[in-house]
């Protein structure tokens, strides 16, 4: 049972502190932006290369499970985000409420959703298919929901933003997946190295986003009280969705293995998709504050799901022991 932040989260925190005290300025900003675009392309190329077509096909037939996961990800979550902003119970920066809406419209994670499903003894094939489909759909659905729910269309409109996202995220993803027959074995042998590449790309985007935000006074808008508010809301939001997913999985008659996949695919939000996408969808000055709720939610979901996965695992072990007696 783990309650402390993982190493990557601590590195994220260090990156935010570095951007706070030593933000990118002057000519370095242009160079950093170019490097960030290249890093995002590499990140999604690697995501595509890691995606196993066989695993997707193995879990693709469970359409009821996938339908509910998509409903949870792209309907329930956004509705909660909109209702929360409408309620606005605490006097904090309006951009934080927008940040929670943005968090709520993002697709599910892939790697951690599959890892927790496997640990908890769930339907791994269905989790691979569902999480991957969510990630791909998010490339199109999330920017459209940003335009619909947040009234953010940018200078060239939502369709142009979708085109930019397709070019920067989907094209590298598809190229990576098509390259899998050539580099798939190397990818499997070097998963740890690929994981480090993913994390480095995210850290680079976070540094660029927070550098811009710091120069526009993010820490004058977000204090300790606001950070505590973000933690509390992230915890509440995750709890509501977890309870809804568990309850509905049981009411709809899903097996325990399918319930596990629904819980871990339908309640998580992707940092790897969310930060690069925010870099395209929002003005540079606001990206930092917009992704702050996502960064906090990321750690809350990891700690909560780690505890939940262990509980599922122990329950399954007890049932197996009872059957062998």
């Amino acid at each position: 049972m783990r309650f402390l932040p993982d190493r990557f989260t601590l590195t994220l925190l260090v990156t935010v502190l570095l951007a706070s005290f030593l933000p990118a300025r002057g000519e370095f900003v242009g160079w950093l932006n170019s490097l960030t675009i290249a890093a995002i392309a590499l990140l999604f190329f690697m995501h595509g290369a890691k995606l196993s077509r066989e695993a997707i096909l193995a879990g693709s037939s469970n359409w009821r499970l996938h339908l509910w996961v998509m409903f949870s990800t792209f309907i329930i979550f956004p509705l909660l985000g909109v209702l929360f902003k409408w309620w606005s119970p605490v006097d904090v920066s309006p951009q934080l409420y927008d940040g929670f809406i943005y968090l709520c419209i993002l697709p599910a994670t892939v790697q951690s959703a599959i890892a927790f499903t496997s640990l908890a003894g769930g339907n791994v094939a269905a989790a691979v298919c569902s999480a991957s489909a969510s990630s791909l759909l998010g490339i199109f659905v999330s920017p459209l929901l940003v335009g619909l729910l947040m009234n953010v269309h940018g200078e060239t409109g939502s369709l142009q933003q979708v085109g930019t996202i397709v070019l920067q995220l989907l094209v590298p993803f598809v190229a990576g997946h098509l390259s899998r027959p050539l580099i798939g074995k190397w990818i499997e042998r070097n998963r740890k190295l690929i994981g480090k590449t993913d994390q480095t790309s995210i850290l680079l985007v976070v540094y660029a986003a927070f550098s811009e935000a710091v120069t526009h006074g993010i820490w004058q808008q977000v204090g300790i009280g606001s950070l505590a508010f973000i933690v509390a809301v992230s915890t509440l939001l995750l709890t509501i969705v977890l309870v809804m997913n568990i309850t509905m999985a049981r009411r709809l008659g899903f097996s325990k293995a399918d319930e596990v996949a629904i819980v871990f695919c339908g309640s998580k939000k992707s940092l790897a998709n969310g930060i690069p996408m925010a870099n395209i969808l929002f003005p540079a000055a606001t990206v930092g504050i917009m992704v702050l709720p996502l960064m906090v939610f990321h750690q809350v979901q990891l700690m909560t799901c780690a505890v939940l996965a262990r509980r599922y695992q122990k329950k399954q072990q007890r049932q197996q022991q009872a059957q062998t007696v």
Side-chain angles (χ1 to χ4, degrees):
M1 202 176 288
R2 190 181 70 191
F3 291 96
L4 294 176
D6 62 4
R7 184 176 297 178
F8 178 59
T9 301
L10 292 174
T11 310
L12 268 178
L13 179 60
V14 171
T15 302
V16 171
L17 291 174
L18 179 64
S20 299
F21 291 103
L22 294 171
R25 298 182 186 276
E27 295 182 0
F28 180 60
V29 174
W31 179 85
L32 181 63
N33 288 338
S34 299
L35 183 60
T36 298
I37 292 172
I40 290 171
L42 178 61
L43 171 69
F44 279 82
F45 179 87
M46 291 302 181
H47 279 189
K50 287 187 292 185
L51 185 59
S52 168
R53 204 169 305 170
E54 294 77 13
I56 292 176
L57 292 175
S60 60
S61 61
N62 201 337
W63 63 269
R64 289 176 66 243
L65 183 150
H66 305 316
L67 191 62
W68 177 259
V69 169
M70 298 308 151
F71 185 79
S72 175
T73 302
F74 295 116
I75 302 295
I76 294 177
F77 256 115
L79 283 175
L80 289 174
V82 171
L83 287 172
F84 183 65
K85 183 178 180 180
W86 172 77
W87 183 29
S88 296
V90 178
D91 184 19
V92 294
S93 169
Q95 288 180 325
L96 286 181
Y97 286 107
D98 287 335
F100 274 108
I101 294 182
Y102 178 64
L103 155 70
C104 288
I105 66 178
L106 289 173
T109 61
V110 178
Q111 290 94 333
S112 61
I114 296 167
F116 283 127
T117 300
S118 177
L119 176 63
N123 188 337
V124 175
V128 171
C129 182
S130 200
S132 301
S134 174
S135 184
L136 283 172
L137 274 176
I139 292 176
F140 302 98
V141 174
S142 293
L144 294 176
L145 287 176
V146 165
L148 179 65
L149 301 180
M150 302 176 66
N151 198 30
V152 174
H153 302 281
E155 296 178 358
T156 52
S158 291
L159 291 179
Q160 181 64 34
Q161 288 174 331
V162 171
T164 304
I165 288 171
V166 167
L167 183 63
Q168 292 190 22
L169 308 187
L170 183 61
V171 170
F173 183 93
V174 172
H177 190 59
L178 294 177
S179 303
R180 184 173 170 80
L182 300 176
I183 64 175
K185 292 182 179 178
W186 183 85
I187 292 287
E188 294 299 327
R189 289 196 305 268
N190 296 275
R191 282 215 167 241
K192 289 187 177 179
L193 175 63
I194 302 305
K196 296 296 182 184
T197 303
D198 286 357
Q199 293 177 3
T200 301
S201 301
I202 294 171
L203 292 172
L204 186 61
V205 178
V206 168
Y207 175 74
F210 271 87
S211 290
E212 186 72 26
V214 166
T215 59
H216 287 82
I218 183 175
W219 298 127
Q220 280 71 51
Q221 303 174 57
V222 180
I224 297 297
S226 295
L227 289 175
F229 165 76
I230 294 173
V231 172
V233 174
S234 296
T235 304
L236 177 62
L237 182 64
L238 181 60
T239 301
I240 292 172
V241 175
L242 283 172
V243 170
M244 290 183 70
N245 278 323
I246 292 171
T247 302
M248 291 306 299
R250 294 174 182 176
R251 285 185 176 273
L252 294 173
F254 285 101
S255 67
K256 182 59 68 174
D258 285 350
E259 176 190 320
V260 170
I262 287 171
V263 166
F264 292 116
C265 293
S267 62
K268 299 174 73 62
K269 292 295 181 177
S270 176
L271 189 72
N273 284 54
I275 290 181
M277 203 177 291
N279 217 39
I280 298 170
L281 292 172
F282 304 114
T286 66
V287 171
I289 194 169
M290 293 298 294
V291 301
L292 195 55
L294 173 61
M295 291 172 62
V296 173
F297 186 87
H298 171 76
Q299 181 57 33
V300 171
Q301 74 181 4
L302 285 180
M303 292 191 297
T304 305
C305 290
V307 173
L308 194 56
R310 291 293 184 188
R311 288 186 176 179
Y312 272 116
Q313 184 186 49
K314 289 179 180 178
K315 185 176 181 179
Q316 185 182 58
Q317 289 171 347
R318 286 195 300 267
Q319 290 175 344
Q320 290 173 347
Q321 289 172 357
Q323 291 172 359
T324 57
V325 174

